[in-house]
Amino acid sequence: MQRVINDPDMLVEDMLPGYLKANERLVHSSAENVRSVVSNFVGEGGPRVGIVTGGGSGHWPAFIGYCGKNMVDAVAVGEIFSSPTVKVFEQCVREADQGKGVAVLFGNYAGDNMNVKMAMRRVRREGIEVSKVVANDDVASAKKEESAKRRGVAGEILMWKCGGAKAAMGGSLEEVIACAQKAIDSTKSVGVGLGPCTIPSNGRPNFAIEPGTMEIGIGHHGEPGIKVEELKDARGIADEMVDIVCGDVPFGEGDEVVVLISGLGATPVMEQFILASRIYDDLAERGISVYRSYVGNYFTSLEMNGITLTLMRVDDELKACVDYPVDTPALVQA
């Protein structure tokens, strides 16, 4: 294992100071807890609903990369692939609270669910109004009739984008929650794994994919997918991903969608564009229009080789939210 690190057990502690120095125009850490990363724009222009998220490190730019203006107000930072603590989530809610309530928007993982629930209970005792939306866009992680069990993956980004925009527009907590819920309900994702990643503290790959094969439906932490099959070319991978995602909602003729294609860490952006071209063609053949698209490393897993596809069906409300300007380390939109 060859890495640019100091102590493999201190990656997050070593990373955060550099991240905060590099992005001091946009974010800072809470004086109460360095693992709570806070937007410099909280309260700018008057009080509004606060937006909080959080999750394990190793997924750059998720989660801290989306903290900034008009998106996420505070992010709870966990260890590599591990949930942030209750105390970190608590402090994030306090930092984001501007007297209008706080929306906690996070992915469907056991640790996050448990710790957010406990944090919400504690801050409510302090008089803070808080609600949550749990992302469950990974169609491969559970059957359609058990969608509440599905994981949250790259679709969380679009949930944060829409929830943050609705808050910036002056929406109430109830309106922000409804918009974020609509966004994630309209969003489906699937991943394809081509190679594992190595957690430095373990020093070995966290799963195995044999040469010449690919795993369909793999999770961001290497969770097993729905099948392993012979490696296809980019056209074949794109066709299979579109079939899986569009077959779940289903997306259909006349729909407009946001497309988000993310590498998992080791997939060159050039290859992502090769895949994207076929995905756009597949959608056009189905009569589905692309309203806006994002291609790049938006939600990774250390150096995992692979790619995810996320589609969000949009209406006028979600279009306005997607188009709303943001300024964050990972996403800038005028």
Side-chain angles (χ1 to χ4, degrees):
M1 182 181 71
Q2 298 191 112
R3 295 288 183 86
V4 183
I5 61 175
N6 297 314
D7 184 338
D9 294 317
M10 297 290 287
L11 260 68
V12 178
E13 286 78 6
D14 285 348
M15 172 274 293
L16 274 174
Y19 178 77
L20 294 167
K21 291 170 187 176
N23 295 287
E24 62 181 7
R25 180 182 68 85
L26 298 170
V27 295
H28 62 279
S29 64
S30 166
E32 301 298 322
N33 195 318
V34 70
R35 293 290 188 102
S36 299
V37 174
V38 185
S39 167
N40 292 348
F41 303 93
V42 174
E44 182 181 79
R48 64 175 179 84
V49 173
I51 305 293
V52 166
T53 193
S57 297
H59 296 299
W60 169 261
F63 298 81
I64 52 177
Y66 299 104
C67 186
K69 187 173 185 178
N70 297 337
M71 201 161 177
V72 178
D73 293 309
V75 175
V77 180
E79 288 295 331
I80 303 296
F81 293 2
S82 298
S83 174
T85 66
V86 176
K87 288 185 177 180
V88 179
F89 273 119
E90 277 184 67
Q91 190 57 39
C92 283
V93 173
R94 295 188 188 103
E95 296 285 347
D97 179 44
Q98 301 158 56
K100 298 286 187 179
V102 176
V104 186
L105 314 177
F106 63 102
N108 193 20
Y109 294 89
D112 295 329
N113 274 304
M114 179 178 66
N115 292 345
V116 167
K117 183 178 180 179
M118 292 176 65
M120 289 174 63
R121 187 162 57 240
R122 292 179 183 181
V123 297
R124 281 173 178 152
R125 294 177 191 147
E126 302 170 13
I128 298 174
E129 187 181 5
V130 59
S131 295
K132 67 179 180 178
V133 176
V134 184
N136 60 336
D137 53 297
D138 185 355
V139 303
S141 56
K143 296 178 180 179
K144 192 172 183 178
E145 56 270 23
E146 298 179 315
S147 60
K149 297 180 180 179
R150 289 176 170 176
R151 299 182 291 254
V153 285
E156 293 179 54
I157 298 165
L158 302 178
M159 176 179 66
W160 302 328
K161 180 73 182 67
C162 293
K166 182 61 72 171
M169 293 173 186
S172 66
L173 179 58
E174 183 179 54
E175 290 169 333
V176 170
I177 290 294
C179 183
Q181 188 68 63
K182 179 198 281 189
I184 203 63
D185 287 346
S186 303
T187 301
K188 305 297 174 185
S189 303
V190 69
V192 172
L194 305 179
C197 60
T198 298
I199 299 174
S201 60
N202 294 337
R204 59 182 183 275
N206 60 339
F207 63 95
I209 294 180
E210 295 299 321
T213 68
M214 62 182 188
E215 188 159 356
I216 306 298
I218 197 165
H220 274 79
H221 306 114
E223 297 95 337
I226 52 178
K227 58 182 174 179
V228 175
E229 59 187 37
E230 184 178 346
L231 178 63
K232 299 178 179 178
D233 62 15
R235 289 184 293 268
I237 295 172
D239 292 348
E240 187 158 3
M241 295 177 88
V242 171
D243 284 344
I244 291 171
V245 173
C246 287
D248 191 80
V249 176
F251 294 89
E253 186 173 357
D255 285 341
E256 290 182 274
V257 298
V258 171
V259 177
L260 191 153
I261 295 166
S262 178
L264 288 175
T267 307
V269 176
M270 179 173 69
E271 295 178 19
Q272 296 176 37
F273 282 120
I274 294 171
L275 185 89
S277 179
R278 179 67 170 196
I279 286 172
Y280 299 145
D281 291 345
D282 281 347
L283 294 174
E285 289 175 6
R286 294 170 182 262
I288 300 171
S289 302
V290 176
Y291 181 73
R292 183 185 282 270
S293 62
Y294 302 92
V295 180
N297 293 322
Y298 289 98
F299 200 126
T300 66
S301 294
L302 295 174
E303 83 286 16
M304 190 187 297
N305 191 4
I307 201 160
T308 61
L309 168 64
T310 299
L311 299 181
M312 179 174 74
R313 181 193 284 128
V314 291
D315 58 11
D316 289 342
E317 180 185 27
L318 294 181
K319 286 180 187 177
C321 291
V322 168
D323 290 342
Y324 204 80
V326 294
D327 190 2
T328 72
L331 184 63
V332 178
Q333 209 169 276

